[in-house]
Amino acid sequence: MDEVLLRTLTPSVIGILVRRGADFAAAEDAVQDALVEALRVWPDDPPRDPKGWLVTVAWRKFLDAVRADTSRRIREVRVEEEPEPGAVEAVDDTLQLYFLCAHPSLTPASAVALTLRAVGGLTTRQIAQAYLVPEATMAQRISRAKRTVSDVRFTQPGDVATVLRVLYLVFNEGYSGDVDLSAEAIRLTRLLAAKIHHEEIAGLLALMLLHHARRPARTGPDGALVPLAEQDRGLWDTRLITEGVEVLQAALARDRLGEFQAQAAIAALHADARTAEETDWVQIVEWYDELVRLTDSPVARLNRAVAVGEADGPRTGLAALAELDPGLPRHTAVAAYLHERDGDPVTAARLYAEAARSASSLPERDHLTRQAARLNDRLRG
Amino acid sequence: MAKYLLLKHYRGAPAPVNNVPMDQWTPDEVSAHMQYMHDFAAKLKGTGEYVDGQALAPEGTFVRYDGEGRPPVTDGPFAETKDLIAGWMVIDVETYERAIELAGELSAAPGAGGKPIHEWLELRPFYGVSPTITE
């Protein structure tokens, strides 16, 4: 049984049902029933038109469920013969699903779960595993999210920016268990990019590819973080980098800059350097200026201070840092790094230890503790 | 089998014998400590005695209900003098003695100078079902 094919078909079949008037939760249930049916019937009797088959069976399942009083009985009646292929409209319903799952009425966490389920076709168990919560908990979250959007009807296109934000959240979840959410986010963004031409979709895809390319080098064998400058660049996936750069260049050529393109441009400049020393920090600062202009994000300003420290020296970097809110996450870590570069290991060691105490993840805490330990060790020696 | 909770404290527990802050260790000592913790959990997974474990961030907040229609009272987040949990591990072992043995082993994690930290760990049994009486 071709599970990938089923996963690819799922969103558009749900989309067709939704557009025919089924509410989202019912459509999703009906398609799940149809998938179970497919698993049973297809191995012996593969359909000529898998999508048409699914639409027809799912629509029947939906009608069955609607006839509430008899549905329980009818659902037990198996579909024996292959149904006629349903009329499959040319309109792409998957897009509507993206917008529905990223609907502003949902919290980001719900939007992510719903996207993985409806557009990604992942099972509730897989999503629960990726988020390290019990399956029953995730099932509740998803059904609550489905209820929230069940009354939403699409008469106009949704907001691409919201969809992209959700996909980026999925990407940043990384991976745990047997589902690689970063790879899944890339797959979904590719599908979206193939459906609509939009500079920021391309920008996000490029950004994901460029980040993903560096993943093998980002952690050591013991799981410890490896900073960009110390990464073994031979481990970077050059195929992904090439693709990311091509996607980015095509997007930039259309001259409609957005934050994802700017971020991807920064990632591309890092990927382009054969050694850390060859990094074009001057250009990176220029892109951070663009990013700050586009987003006015404190995190972008913080990263800009790091880049300024590399391009114009640590003093200038510290001056840029001094203008920012010291309460920003990683502010202390950046200060520690710049002080070390400025030749002040005593202050740097103290700040690294302080940053370790407020780190937001275990690998980050361990990394900062090691930095403090390294400097203190050197100071003693 | 009985479940036990191993609690590691930031503060509130008696001071460990080898009490040196981690940032004062050498990088190799830091790595050795992390490897030890990792191997310990991996070994218990192998023996089927590991249930779950997590490290906790240092900032904690005490929260209390303050009556109908009023927001909860919070104390902190920087409750400097209070007992704080740094992390926990749940183990599922045959006997109390085995739980003591494992807690002792965890407390022997290497610290400054490559010597064991001798850290105090709190060991708390879970309430569970009473043992089945056959016959």
Side-chain angles (χ1 to χ4, degrees), chain A residues 264-282:
Chain A
I266 293 164
L269 285 166
H270 283 301
D272 201 33
R274 272 171 303 170
T275 63
E277 292 70 35
E278 282 178 48
T279 309
D280 187 346
W281 287 106
V282 175

Side-chain angles (χ1 to χ4, degrees), chain A residues 238-301:
Chain A
T238 46
R239 195 182 49 83
L240 285 183
I241 290 176
T242 310
E243 188 192 350
V245 169
E246 278 168 9
V247 171
L248 174 65
Q249 277 169 344
L252 289 176
R254 294 155 69 112
D255 206 20
R256 296 172 63 109
L257 191 60
E259 57 175 301
F260 287 121
Q261 290 171 82
Q263 285 191 62
I266 293 164
L269 285 166
H270 283 301
D272 201 33
R274 272 171 303 170
T275 63
E277 292 70 35
E278 282 178 48
T279 309
D280 187 346
W281 287 106
V282 175
Q283 256 207 80
I284 288 179
V285 171
E286 284 169 11
W287 277 111
Y288 271 120
D289 288 339
E290 289 285 0
L291 194 57
V292 167
R293 188 179 59 77
L294 288 163
T295 64
D296 199 31
S297 136
V299 176
R301 287 180 191 277

Side-chain angles (χ1 to χ4, degrees), chain A residues 27-367:
Chain A
E28 224 253 342
D29 288 343
V31 173
Q32 290 302 322
D33 286 347
L35 291 176
V36 170
E37 196 69 34
L39 287 169
R40 199 180 65 83
V41 176
W42 288 13
D44 299 329
D45 188 12
R48 285 185 302 273
D49 172 5
K51 186 171 172 182
W53 190 100
L54 281 175
V55 169
T56 311
V57 173
W59 185 246
R60 273 188 202 168
K61 297 281 182 191
F62 167 70
L63 292 179
D64 285 355
V66 169
R67 300 182 198 113
D69 48 344
T70 50
S71 68
R72 197 173 293 273
R73 185 175 51 79
I74 293 173
R75 223 184 297 193
E76 284 162 7
V77 178
R78 302 283 183 210
V79 179
E80 297 299 345
E81 78 282 32
E82 176 174 337
E84 291 299 308
V88 178
E89 296 86 343
V91 183
D92 193 340
D93 304 277
T94 314
L95 275 183
Q96 287 192 357
L97 268 198
Y98 276 97
F99 294 129
L100 192 57
C101 294
H103 197 265
S105 63
L106 294 169
T107 63
S110 302
V112 165
L114 205 54
T115 303
L116 289 171
R117 176 69 195 253
V119 191
L122 297 187
T123 64
T124 305
R125 173 188 293 270
Q126 286 173 316
I127 303 169
Q129 272 173 357
Y131 282 88
L132 301 175
V133 297
E135 192 177 345
T137 307
M138 188 50 81
Q140 269 305 321
R141 282 189 204 167
I142 292 175
S143 54
R144 215 167 40 219
K146 282 195 279 192
R147 271 200 304 278
T148 306
V149 294
S150 65
D151 291 336
V152 175
R153 283 280 171 275
F154 272 93
T155 49
Q156 54 202 16
D159 178 14
V160 173
T162 318
V163 174
L164 295 184
R165 200 146 293 133
V166 168
L167 290 171
Y168 197 37
L169 283 175
V170 176
F171 179 78
N172 280 323
E173 284 299 327
Y175 69 108
S176 55
D178 66 343
V179 185
D180 182 339
L181 289 184
S182 300
E184 183 63 21
I186 290 176
R187 187 179 75 85
L188 296 180
T189 310
R190 272 189 207 283
L191 293 177
L192 187 62
K195 289 175 195 307
I196 8 181
H197 284 289
H198 184 290
E199 298 71 30
E200 277 291 89
I201 297 174
L204 178 63
L205 179 59
L207 177 64
M208 288 176 173
L209 292 169
L210 290 163
H211 275 324
H212 205 58
R214 297 204 295 255
R215 193 164 87 174
R218 206 173 293 139
T219 47
D222 54 353
L225 287 185
V226 182
L228 184 57
E230 291 161 30
Q231 287 177 14
D232 175 359
R233 293 176 185 231
L235 294 175
W236 290 0
D237 187 331
T238 46
R239 195 182 49 83
L240 285 183
I241 290 176
T242 310
E243 188 192 350
V245 169
E246 278 168 9
V247 171
L248 174 65
Q249 277 169 344
L252 289 176
R254 294 155 69 112
D255 206 20
R256 296 172 63 109
L257 191 60
E259 57 175 301
F260 287 121
Q261 290 171 82
Q263 285 191 62
I266 293 164
L269 285 166
H270 283 301
D272 201 33
R274 272 171 303 170
T275 63
E277 292 70 35
E278 282 178 48
T279 309
D280 187 346
W281 287 106
V282 175
Q283 256 207 80
I284 288 179
V285 171
E286 284 169 11
W287 277 111
Y288 271 120
D289 288 339
E290 289 285 0
L291 194 57
V292 167
R293 188 179 59 77
L294 288 163
T295 64
D296 199 31
S297 136
V299 176
R301 287 180 191 277
L302 189 69
N303 291 331
R304 181 183 169 278
V306 178
V308 166
E310 300 289 350
D312 304 329
R315 287 286 164 87
T316 323
L318 283 167
L321 190 65
E323 292 168 17
L324 305 179
D325 175 5
L328 275 174
R330 294 185 52 236
H331 187 281
T332 313
V334 169
Y337 175 74
L338 290 171
H339 276 290
E340 183 184 354
R341 300 246 317 154
D342 192 35
D344 182 358
V346 178
T347 307
R350 180 177 56 75
L351 290 172
Y352 272 129
E354 191 184 319
R357 284 193 288 278
S358 56
S360 60
S361 78
L362 209 51
E364 192 180 322
R365 187 196 72 181
D366 293 348
H367 172 69

